[in-house]
Amino acid sequence: KGQDLMYQSHYSSVGSRMGSVLSPPKTPKEESPSKAKGALKEKIEHLEEDLRLVTDDVNYHKKDLQILRSQKEHLENVLSMKAVDVRKSLANEVVKVDNSLNR
């Protein structure tokens, strides 16, 4: 749940910035060229920060996926070994029952 809250707050901040980046300027004719360049530079900086955040999230999820795959493989190996042990135990029981019936 802690991670969910982290991602919700992260994505909401990205979304709120994206909304401001994508919305048209309110009065483009009234802005001076230097203000327009500053606003554009600020929007680019916000986009770059958003890109860094999304890249970090993707890298985190890649590592998480690697861990989950490793755990899955380990569990499959453990379950396979347990299945072999159960088969051996059942085969031994069958031999014991056969021996007791043949007496």
Side-chain angles (χ1 to χ4, degrees):
K1 283 191 172 186
Q3 286 179 333
D4 291 341
L5 291 175
M6 179 183 78
Y7 291 119
Q8 285 174 352
S9 63
H10 164 71
Y11 288 121
S12 63
S13 69
V14 169
S16 65
R17 270 198 244 137
M18 290 298 289
S20 65
V21 168
L22 297 178
S23 61
K26 292 177 182 161
T27 55
K29 293 181 182 178
E30 295 177 14
E31 289 183 359
S32 68
S34 63
K35 280 188 179 181
K37 285 181 184 178
L40 183 59
K41 184 176 180 179
E42 184 178 332
K43 288 179 182 183
I44 290 171
E45 288 172 355
H46 284 294
L47 286 172
E48 288 173 342
E49 177 62 21
D50 291 344
L51 180 61
R52 279 191 291 277
L53 291 172
V54 171
T55 301
D56 289 346
D57 284 348
V58 168
N59 289 334
Y60 171 82
H61 289 295
K62 281 182 180 178
K63 289 177 186 174
D64 200 27
L65 186 60
Q66 288 173 342
I67 291 168
L68 290 171
R69 284 182 177 153
S70 173
Q71 289 174 343
K72 176 187 171 231
E73 185 178 329
H74 175 71
L75 288 173
E76 286 173 342
N77 291 337
V78 168
L79 289 174
S80 178
M81 289 187 298
K82 286 187 177 194
V84 168
D85 287 345
V86 168
R87 284 188 193 108
K88 285 181 184 177
S89 296
L90 289 174
N92 288 338
E93 288 296 317
V94 167
V95 169
K96 286 180 187 177
V97 169
D98 281 346
N99 286 342
S100 69
L101 288 175
N102 290 334
R103 288 182 189 175

